[in-house]
Amino acid sequence: MRSTDHNTSNAAKAARFGKLVAELAIKAGYDIRAGMGGRATLARDIGTMSPSAVGRMLDGKTLPMPHQLEPIARTLSADVRALMVSAGVISNQIWPKDADAHVLSAVSRTQPPTPEEAADMWGITEPGIRSMLVGSVTQAIRLQNEFDSRRATEGEAVRQGR
């Protein structure tokens, strides 16, 4: 393969991957439009990418590093296999879709686990510890939702010139 063919192939993969991740990010509630803070929040939540790297990925300019695929999938409640195929890290034939259909994967969920489900997944059974964990996570979710709501309201006010 010539160098230009390889670059075109990588550009097409990056564009396809960026489109997929952007769709998943929007579905997960991230406002990834420029200046809205969603790209920085997504980078923070992924934990292995800078905001500028997330922006280049979402814009379809670059592919993430292989070690970043799992954190991206986990953050967006996506199937890591689909991300790997889309990024061109593996082919569709290497890891057949039904190869591990019997395994329930947290990254294949469409919704994040509830605090109670998380406590179950982590094996937290002692009632006092479980109550503390569930209460803390519930409070954190409420605070995050309030923060996101304020940011959206402030962003709307700025767009309307208020």
Side-chain angles (χ1 to χ4, degrees):
M1 183 183 324
R2 294 186 320 236
S3 175
T4 55
D5 292 340
H6 179 70
N7 291 341
T8 302
S9 175
N10 282 344
K13 288 177 187 175
R16 186 173 59 245
F17 187 81
K19 182 175 188 260
L20 171 63
V21 173
E23 290 169 0
L24 291 169
I26 291 167
K27 184 178 175 183
Y30 292 93
D31 188 344
I32 59 171
R33 294 174 295 171
M36 298 307 295
R39 291 173 179 225
T41 302
L42 181 58
R44 181 201 69 210
D45 293 349
I46 291 170
T48 60
M49 298 180 76
S50 68
S52 61
V54 167
R56 289 189 304 274
M57 173 185 67
L58 292 171
D59 293 339
K61 295 178 181 174
T62 61
L63 287 168
M65 300 296 292
H67 74 275
Q68 295 168 324
L69 292 168
E70 189 173 348
I72 292 167
R74 188 179 314 108
T75 300
L76 299 177
S77 298
D79 176 25
V80 72
R81 179 197 171 281
L83 292 178
M84 292 174 74
V85 170
S86 179
V89 173
I90 62 170
S91 72
N92 211 20
Q93 292 74 35
I94 295 295
W95 187 356
K97 280 188 180 183
D98 58 354
D100 54 334
H102 65 286
V103 177
L104 297 177
S105 172
V107 296
S108 66
R109 296 174 59 111
T110 57
Q111 295 292 319
T114 66
E116 292 81 7
E117 289 171 330
D120 290 340
M121 289 174 5
W122 292 327
I124 307 297
T125 58
E126 197 284 321
I129 298 170
R130 185 180 180 90
S131 175
M132 180 187 66
L133 173 67
V134 169
S136 296
V137 171
T138 301
Q139 175 72 356
I141 292 169
R142 185 186 66 75
L143 291 171
Q144 183 65 51
N145 288 339
E146 287 176 9
F147 175 79
D148 292 344
S149 178
R150 273 195 315 275
R151 182 181 302 183
T153 302
E154 291 166 358
E156 184 60 29
V158 168
R159 281 193 299 281
Q160 293 178 2
R162 290 189 255 156

